[in-house]
Amino acid sequence: MSFDTLGLSDNILSAIAAAGFEKPTPIQEQAIPHALKGRDVLGIAQTGTGKTAAFTLPMLNRLEKGRARARMPRTLILEPTRELAAQVEQSFEIIGQNHKLNLALLIGGVSFADQNKILDRGADVLIATPGRLLDHIERGKLLLTGVEILVIDEADRMLDMGFIPDVERICKLIPFTRQTLFFSATMPTEIQRLVDTFLHNPVRVEVAPPATAASTVEQRIVTAPKEAPDKRALLRDVIRGEADLTNGIVFCNRKRDVDIVDKSLRKHGFNAACLHGDMDQRSRMKTLDQFKSGEIALLVASDVAARGLDIPNVSHVLNYDVPIHAEDYIHRIGRTGRAGRSGKTIMLATRADKKYVDAISQMTGISIAHEAGKTGDKFDNAEKPRAKSAGKRPGQSNQRKVASAPPSIDAPAPPRNRTKAESDSEYPSPDIGGKRPRGRPDGENSRKVVGLGDHMPAFLARPVRPGTK
Ligand code: AMP
């Protein structure tokens, strides 16, 4: 099928040709004709499938007629993160090159005054994160009553980030007659409820079953030690052992660990940088550009910061932590093996992660091959120590030997089982802490006390008087 048959205008077709798109991707092929007819669309698709153009192209078609009024945007796109919002803006700039459109980007980290000026000019397309959008509405600077098309992108990520109440508030501020284009990679029940409440008889289009990893990604697990410095040493070992690693993303569950792992890698001579939600917008974009251009080889990132980023040609995804939500595994490894290319993913997992690994296997339907890292805890009960050969794969010598524990540079990470640690996570959900294994940090539980331990009973300390009986 070619783009000509979808019903798009000549202006748009020539912009598509200029962008170098030869034929529509499956999600574009399925969603665009329905969207052009004004139907609500529920698109189940991961990033990398071309889903952005599946909504931007029909939006452009609608925007060819009419003009925006001050503070009353004609279309609204909700994105969970600043990066994704900026990425959608870029994609509009490319395919909207034959249209005179006013684009407005409302994301945190940019001054309200600058954003107000843009809104005053009238926005054809408003691309926003939910929080900042509501801030503008509460300040009386924005009215959503003129919105003709609402796009909710990456809905399951909105859920993870706790944005669903904000999204619901926003949906209620937009006229009932709007068209809604809704995209999510997975369909948990909360998302289905949102769809049932706010979409009108949507056409459901799905390009890959939810939670399916690309078949071009080779997946492995290396068992890791619980101790933070050793785990970082194991990560370095894994990276060094991958001869074909050209660039990679290292995922951590917590912002704090993103910083620690990034510093540790750089201290050990790796060309790394980090990306997390606490960084200001400018440095996030700069880091991302440097990674895309190859100036930086390893990007240490949290899920929120890296969600949906369009980074072609990532050779490896390294999971420093096992993701708590199995869906995140799919999203993380979706950064490699894109557009039919091959990719590799390696996840460090401790014994305590077993239930999360099991959840991933259940979701993907794949039992991921695992091998023992030299200092790794035995991963499951089936893998009892095999005398001297424990820690090695059959036929494996020491080629994956773990570097000795690093010197003092690696600031010891605080224990992982405290509420405080969980609150450092970029996920707002407070219940994650409860899911983490309980117990005292750093193996205190397992320290064996022999006899009376350090305690000496007082009678043993009494001086012995010779000759007394
Ligand atoms: P997305 O899933 O929207 O993040 O898109 C992933 C990548 O595919 C982006 O780099 C797009 O520019 C690219 N892309 C989107 N549609 C097409 C197409 N029809 N042909 C080739 N590349 C495309």
Side-chain angles (χ1 to χ4, degrees):
M1 189 185 251
S2 89
F3 276 108
D4 304 8
T5 58
L6 297 181
L8 295 160
S9 76
D10 289 345
N11 254 348
I12 298 176
L13 290 175
S14 73
I16 290 172
F21 296 175
E22 284 167 9
K23 60 183 178 67
T25 65
I27 187 79
Q28 292 161 5
E29 200 177 301
Q30 292 180 52
I32 291 173
H34 294 295
L36 287 175
K37 285 184 196 138
R39 290 284 303 270
D40 280 5
V41 173
L42 165 60
I44 300 168
Q46 292 169 263
T47 51
T49 55
K51 74 176 164 65
T52 313
F55 59 81
T56 54
L57 291 171
M59 284 173 81
L60 265 183
N61 226 67
R62 167 83 76 102
L63 289 167
E64 284 181 338
K65 292 193 198 100
R67 276 189 62 80
R69 287 191 281 160
R71 297 185 199 169
M72 289 184 71
R74 297 176 62 197
T75 61
L76 170 64
I77 303 172
L78 292 179
E79 291 289 340
T81 65
R82 303 165 186 189
E83 281 77 13
L84 277 168
Q87 213 164 275
V88 170
E89 187 193 32
Q90 278 169 13
S91 134
F92 249 113
E93 277 164 2
I94 295 168
I95 59 149
Q97 56 189 273
N98 298 333
H99 298 72
K100 280 204 175 109
L101 290 180
N102 280 346
L103 302 177
L105 189 62
L106 296 191
I107 52 178
V110 179
S111 90
F112 277 95
D114 290 348
Q115 292 180 342
N116 284 338
K117 274 186 217 151
I118 298 170
L119 290 174
D120 282 345
R121 288 205 297 265
D124 294 294
V125 183
L126 177 58
I127 308 159
T129 48
R132 182 50 77 104
L133 182 78
L134 285 170
D135 285 346
H136 276 275
I137 292 170
E138 277 157 16
R139 289 165 182 233
K141 298 289 180 194
L142 192 59
L143 264 179
L144 299 184
T145 47
V147 171
E148 298 162 38
I149 301 180
L150 166 67
V151 176
I152 300 173
D153 193 19
E154 302 269 342
D156 50 352
R157 176 56 44 170
M158 302 263 195
L159 174 71
D160 284 347
M161 294 176 71
F163 285 154
I164 295 301
D166 286 352
V167 173
E168 286 181 1
R169 274 183 65 199
I170 293 165
C171 284
K172 288 177 187 161
L173 295 170
I174 305 176
F176 196 66
T177 49
R178 67 166 187 263
Q179 178 183 14
T180 308
L181 309 175
F182 189 104
F183 291 85
S184 190
T186 56
M187 285 301 291
T189 43
E190 296 92 329
I191 295 298
Q192 188 60 53
R193 193 180 54 78
L194 203 61
V195 167
D196 296 342
T197 315
F198 293 107
L199 271 70
H200 310 304
N201 187 24
V203 182
R204 182 185 168 109
V205 294
E206 190 168 345
V207 290
T212 305
S215 55
T216 49
V217 180
E218 181 194 315
Q219 304 175 49
R220 271 160 51 208
I221 290 175
V222 175
T223 56
K226 250 191 316 205
E227 294 74 27
D230 278 358
K231 199 176 170 192
R232 295 195 286 274
L234 182 59
L235 174 70
R236 296 194 293 276
D237 185 55
V238 164
I239 295 171
R240 288 184 187 121
E242 291 299 300
D244 54 350
L245 189 150
T246 50
N247 63 348
I249 306 181
V250 180
F251 280 102
C252 302
N253 288 353
R254 297 167 189 75
K255 282 187 273 194
R256 183 201 56 208
D257 288 336
V258 168
D259 268 336
I260 293 173
V261 170
D262 166 48
K263 278 194 196 118
S264 165
L265 284 173
R266 282 188 283 121
K267 196 96 186 187
H268 284 85
F270 291 93
N271 175 11
C274 66
L275 192 73
H276 63 62
D278 278 352
M279 290 162 68
D280 66 65
Q281 184 60 11
R282 191 169 301 188
S283 26
R284 277 154 67 138
M285 296 315 268
K286 188 173 164 218
T287 305
L288 203 53
D289 286 343
Q290 286 174 320
F291 185 65
K292 281 183 183 175
S293 69
E295 222 175 298
I296 290 167
L298 292 169
L299 189 66
V300 188
S302 61
D303 289 290
V304 171
R307 171 74 171 215
L309 297 179
D310 179 24
I311 305 166
N313 283 327
V314 175
S315 75
H316 283 66
V317 167
L318 301 155
N319 279 305
Y320 180 80
D321 292 310
V322 177
I324 291 161
H325 302 291
E327 294 93 1
D328 285 335
Y329 181 76
I330 305 290
H331 291 299
R332 289 180 183 186
I333 74 170
R335 312 289 98 223
T336 184
R338 306 190 96 188
R341 295 189 190 95
S342 63
K344 277 191 185 175
T345 183
I346 303 167
M347 177 158 70
L348 307 190
T350 68
R351 182 201 284 270
D353 293 318
K354 187 175 181 306
K355 74 172 177 183
Y356 303 111
V357 173
D358 288 347
I360 291 168
S361 299
Q362 208 177 358
M363 171 174 265
T364 57
I366 299 170
S367 171
I368 307 167
H370 66 270
E371 60 201 64
K374 189 80 190 292
T375 56
D377 293 352
K378 296 300 160 294
F379 187 61
D380 65 25
N381 298 336
E383 262 218 351
K384 287 265 180 277
R386 277 166 286 152
K388 284 179 191 154
S389 66
K392 289 178 191 172
R393 280 184 295 165
Q396 183 193 22
S397 62
N398 282 335
Q399 88 258 34
R400 290 199 190 284
K401 212 160 95 186
V402 179
S404 55
S408 57
I409 57 103
D410 282 351
R416 296 173 48 141
N417 55 344
R418 295 178 312 174
T419 315
K420 163 77 182 78
E422 295 300 340
S423 71
D424 281 346
S425 160
E426 278 190 274
Y427 298 101
S429 165
D431 66 349
I432 293 166
K435 292 184 180 176
R436 279 278 160 201
R438 303 239 166 253
R440 304 279 303 279
D442 299 331
E444 264 186 64
N445 278 348
S446 62
R447 203 171 48 185
K448 282 209 181 81
V449 177
V450 178
L452 295 167
D454 293 337
H455 174 69
M456 185 192 288
F459 76 89
L460 285 179
R462 253 191 258 140
V464 180
R465 267 178 274 146
T468 51
K469 281 208 174 161

